Amino acid sequence: MPTHRQPSRHSHHHAVSGARPGAEEVEALLVEHYPRLVRLAYLTLPPALGRHRRVLAAHATVQRVLPVARPGRVGAPEPAGSGAPEVTASAGYRWVRYRVLRGALRGHRWSAAGALPRVMGLRLFPTAGGAEELALDQALSSVPATARAALALGVLEGLPDTAAAALLTECGAGDPAGALRTAARLRESGGGRVESLLRAAEFDPCVVQTRPTDLLRRRSRFRAAAVTALCALLVAGAAVGGTGSGGDETTGDGKGWSASRAAAVDPVRLERAPRDAWADTSRVDFSAWPARGGRAADTGLLRRALEAWSAPGSGVRASATADTPRTPPALPPRLLYAGEADGAAVVLLHEGGRVVRYAEPLSGRGTAALDFARVDDADVTTAAAVVVSRTADGARLLLAPWITGAAVRDLLAPGRGARPLAVAADGVTPLVAVPAGAGAACTAWPALQLRSSGRIVEDHAFLVTDLGDLVPAHLTHTPPPGSGAPARQPREATGPAALADWARGACLLSGLRGAGVRAVNDWTFAEQRLPDGGGRAAWVCTRADTWRGPGRVLVRFQPPEPTPTGPGGSGGGGPGRVVAEAHGTAACSRFGQHVLADTRWRSPAGKWYLLAAGSRRVTRITAAGAVSATADGTTLAAPAPDGPEEPGSVRLSGLLSTGGTLAALDHG
């Protein structure tokens, strides 16, 4: 059989991508390695496609390898490089993997209409993982496709860096060395767990869950099409003098539509969890909440809430946090609460990854309110409370059934104890003061201190605060790095040191109101002794994670400030100065543990300095431009010109203990 050789410009790449196999061998390789290849494609494809389109694109990327295979094959040399799975990879498999990776790196083509396989009436998505999988998914979303591909090639395919770089280059990727450095940082920050996480169901597009799309809207479109067709038949019948029977058919279809809609808003079909389900499940979230409230059996109220959700009219004012769908429920929702509070009848419902609040005035006058909030992958702390009502005096919250104690404290007064709350038997708190909005004077910052039941976790207290959404945000704290100690993880912000740190940063939370924030962590990533006897300063990164995924970080420089001596003193003065800011980043998270920032500072002697600090893996900091200086370690202090700093006048870089480099975050 004649052989078909590649053009000479590719001949030297056979050891990387393998030689072109025949169609039958390609088919056999796809059948044998299909899940492995689809996972590689899924990890490389852009997360912006969304999970449904990304699943379809991953399968299409692999399946489209088959048509390009030609009859016959050429001999292939032995595989290059080393690594566990790669040692036994055949030349044919390497060629198939090359085609899959090249197709996935060109993932932008899947944005075009009609490019994907069509799935009618269903949405597909991989099985949801836990907090670690979610954090890794967020980190992967913040890096380029080439870095995701490099991580998958190294972790899942076992390729050494040289072979991965060669394969990325052959696929047309730019800067493969940079992609490998980014992948190495992700692996390092994962603490040895990245491989097991990448092999989890969260990143397996071959094991998917299905959900129907908008059933009511689809039914409406079908009904409209059916009525149009029926009208055409009636007109045709009239033209030939026939009496027709369209009236009966139309009535029948209308009855069918009414029955379908009635089923969707039937309060009898609402899901209700057993009262103690939360104590007998490993999934402690909103799905374990029982139905509570004095009107949980009021079918009229529940029906109005479901009708408003399914088809909100002009008498309903709807709102939603960012990226929260307002579509009708695909399945019967779970009832969390139905009762009365502050002049309104309130219903709280949970469906999939959403919590929905319906409120109507008891007076019968005025509009009803319908609020949507994302709560996918909630846990013990982020599913601990939901807002029932808001007034000018504060907010009432419904606490999770596993909460055994609640108190309110002022974050700006860490020396003042928390004040216990008298929670009602149905789990509703009294009115709790809410933090001041943006632009208002920040003289206090209320937060709830909650305690979990010993039936699910021992001695666990945590803080949440109201940022204007249905679900309060969880507050955590990461202490400064210890000398020679491993990386520290976020912990509950209830200890004296954590409360003292939050006392200085709480007022910055006002900029996060209404942004759909899930959790906020305050991380003191470096401490620095200031020149000219300026004392000891702290560098703090405040990271806000949203329910939809992207994170926002603020880095602030905190010089020492005198501690007020009055009762309940704040323990540290103001928040310092925000010196850097970033959106949609993995910085200051588990998968972005390296951070570097700088600022200008005037010492007590009146001299100006460039100050810089990095996280614990920074071994050297170099400044160039208006200030030229180098310092070993995690901090730098160098004399700087007097007067205001020109933007971009100083270029800062850090050397990591891994050999990589780190750029400073942009100034806020």
Side-chain angles (χ1 to χ4, degrees), residues 5-280:
R5 296 194 178 275
Q6 300 288 334
S8 61
R9 67 187 182 92
H10 288 312
S11 60
H12 68 287
H13 288 312
H14 280 173
V16 177
S17 65
R20 183 191 299 272
E24 291 184 0
E25 184 177 355
V26 170
E27 182 179 8
L29 288 166
L30 289 180
V31 171
E32 181 181 357
H33 300 289
Y34 190 80
R36 175 178 173 182
L37 293 165
V38 175
R39 190 187 294 259
L40 173 63
Y42 183 80
L43 288 168
T44 305
L45 285 163
L49 288 172
R51 291 189 294 175
H52 173 75
R53 292 175 62 82
R54 196 174 169 197
V55 166
L56 296 179
H59 286 274
T61 299
V62 175
Q63 292 171 16
R64 291 191 180 189
V65 170
L66 185 59
V68 302
R70 300 175 183 174
R73 58 171 304 199
V74 297
E78 291 299 315
S82 62
E86 186 61 16
V87 164
T88 59
S90 67
Y93 174 76
R94 295 200 310 275
W95 183 87
V96 170
R97 181 179 61 197
Y98 154 71
R99 298 291 302 195
V100 169
L101 187 62
R102 191 178 71 167
L105 287 171
R106 298 176 179 179
H108 59 82
R109 66 178 179 175
W110 299 119
S111 301
L116 290 173
R118 300 193 66 184
V119 177
M120 303 298 293
L122 289 175
R123 305 289 293 176
L124 310 179
F125 50 92
T127 303
E132 289 184 311
E133 288 86 348
L134 177 63
L136 178 57
D137 189 44
Q138 293 172 353
L140 292 173
S141 300
S142 67
V143 301
T146 52
R148 296 193 298 271
L151 182 67
L153 290 174
V155 173
L156 301 180
E157 293 292 306
L159 266 66
D161 286 354
T162 52
L167 180 53
L168 289 171
T169 299
E170 188 173 357
C171 291
D175 190 19
L180 288 168
R181 287 194 298 270
T182 302
R185 288 198 294 270
L186 289 171
R187 292 182 72 168
E188 178 192 352
S189 60
R193 289 271 295 147
V194 169
E195 180 173 359
S196 62
L197 293 176
L198 288 181
R199 296 187 186 280
E202 174 86 8
F203 303 104
D204 186 356
C206 289
V207 180
V208 297
Q209 293 178 319
T210 62
R211 271 229 160 142
T213 54
D214 188 343
L215 295 176
L216 295 179
R217 191 172 298 171
R218 285 167 49 206
R219 175 65 174 167
S220 178
R221 288 197 296 265
F222 174 80
R223 176 176 179 254
V227 170
T228 301
L230 180 59
C231 289
L233 289 173
L234 288 174
V235 171
V240 297
T243 59
S245 58
D248 291 340
E249 292 183 31
T250 303
T251 302
D253 183 72
K255 289 179 180 178
W257 163 244
S258 298
S260 174
R261 189 171 187 277
V265 298
D266 186 357
V268 175
R269 301 196 177 199
L270 285 171
E271 291 191 18
R272 299 171 185 248
R275 181 161 295 276
D276 290 330
W278 58 271
D280 298 312

Side-chain angles (χ1 to χ4, degrees), residues 403-425:
I403 298 300
T404 57
V408 63
R409 70 179 314 138
D410 181 4
L411 291 183
L412 302 189
R416 189 181 305 156
R419 176 174 56 85
L421 291 176
V423 180

Side-chain angles (χ1 to χ4, degrees), residues 525-540:
F525 65 87
E527 294 180 312
Q528 181 176 24
R529 186 161 297 282
L530 301 177
D532 298 340
R536 194 168 186 84
W539 294 78
V540 182

